[in-house]
Amino acid sequence: GEALAVSARVAPLGSRLVLLLVEDLTEARRIEAVRRDFVANVSHELKTPVGALSLLSEAVMDAADDPEAVTRFAGRMQIEATRLTNLVQELIDLSRVQNDHPLEDAEPVRVQELVAEAIDRSRHTATTKNITMAAGGASDLRVWGHRGQLAAALGNLVENAVNYSPAHTRVGIAARRVTAPGGDLIEIAVTDQGIGIPDKDKERIFERFYRVDPARSRATGGTGLGLAIVKHVVASHGGEVTVWSTEGQGSTFTLRLPEAAAGRDRTRDGRGTS
Ligand code: ADP
């Protein structure tokens, strides 16, 4: 509609310029639509726990003479408050990974530390569900990047592996070096024996707020932002993330990141970090 009208107005300038203008407009409009969707999604996601908190606080007041009910409602208020806190924290994380230039603060980061931190972050849930977390292969590997962002990326993958797995299963984290034409890469694979991801959703799970099963995601305190954060971190580090999954059997998410090669510490940032 509008894009065509523009092309008619500038037609005398030459068809190549017209084509560029039209493409620019289409892209600008697409970005605007994505931004509008995002704001609408954020509003909706914020309203849900806030609405629940409001209803629950009314219920508490009405139940003032029933201590058991008060305790029950207060417990649910706590769950909603946690949900709200998680969402705000993930929004802050997402905006940080979208706006920062991680490689300005890049340094060699030991994979072992990232793995240990990720396991720590999910330990509570894993213990509750009797899920075993096992790591291997990371001993002396180092990746080149922003420590906090890399920790957030791996932490999210391990958290998902635990959240989307039944009790008494195993989550494995395996790291190795792979040779690649542009310099060696570090591969970190997180494997679970969980519910898996249907083929039709595999592309979309990296979109902000996309969930295969929204009710299930909310039940585990999920925000729908974790994999969007992972995708951004990996992209800004010049790496990639891939997913392999069979429904009902499990999933493997694999990060590929640039290795912090010996000697690179000084050459890259000119400061000398180790
Ligand atoms: P959430 O906060 O909902 O976990 P994510 O962005 O981390 O959001 O993941 C998006 C969706 O991808 C999840 O809601 C879930 O449906 C699916 N998903 C992510 N990781 C896994 C996994 N390891 N196993 C099964 N499904 C997963």
Side-chain angles (χ1 to χ4, degrees), residues 98-200:
Q98 284 179 329
N99 298 320
D100 282 6
H101 299 286
L103 297 184
E104 278 170 16
D105 293 312
E107 57 183 331
V109 181
R110 288 166 58 86
V111 173
Q112 214 164 27
E113 281 170 30
L114 296 175
V115 171
E117 210 178 311
I119 287 179
D120 262 356
R121 181 171 146 179
S122 293
R123 196 182 302 280
H124 178 74
T125 321
T127 308
T128 315
K129 293 173 77 175
N130 239 304
I131 289 175
T132 317
M133 294 187 286
S139 54
D140 60 345
L141 302 178
R142 298 183 313 164
V143 292
W144 180 258
H146 185 291
R147 181 182 300 271
Q149 293 199 4
L150 293 170
L154 188 63
N156 265 305
L157 292 184
V158 174
E159 196 169 50
N160 281 345
V162 170
N163 278 340
Y164 298 105
S165 291
H168 303 287
T169 54
R170 182 181 179 281
V171 169
I173 308 164
R176 61 178 188 140
R177 175 189 291 117
V178 290
T179 310
D184 284 359
L185 297 174
I186 300 296
E187 201 176 85
I188 310 174
V190 180
T191 300
D192 65 56
Q193 301 169 324
I195 60 174
I197 300 158
D199 278 336
K200 64 169 175 47

Side-chain angles (χ1 to χ4, degrees), residues 9-31:
R9 271 207 306 280
V10 296
L13 293 177
S15 60
R16 242 182 68 192
L17 179 58
V18 170
L19 204 65
L20 281 176
L21 276 173
V22 172
E23 267 173 10
D24 260 16
L25 269 177
T26 315
E27 176 64 4
R29 200 159 293 145
R30 196 189 61 79
I31 290 170

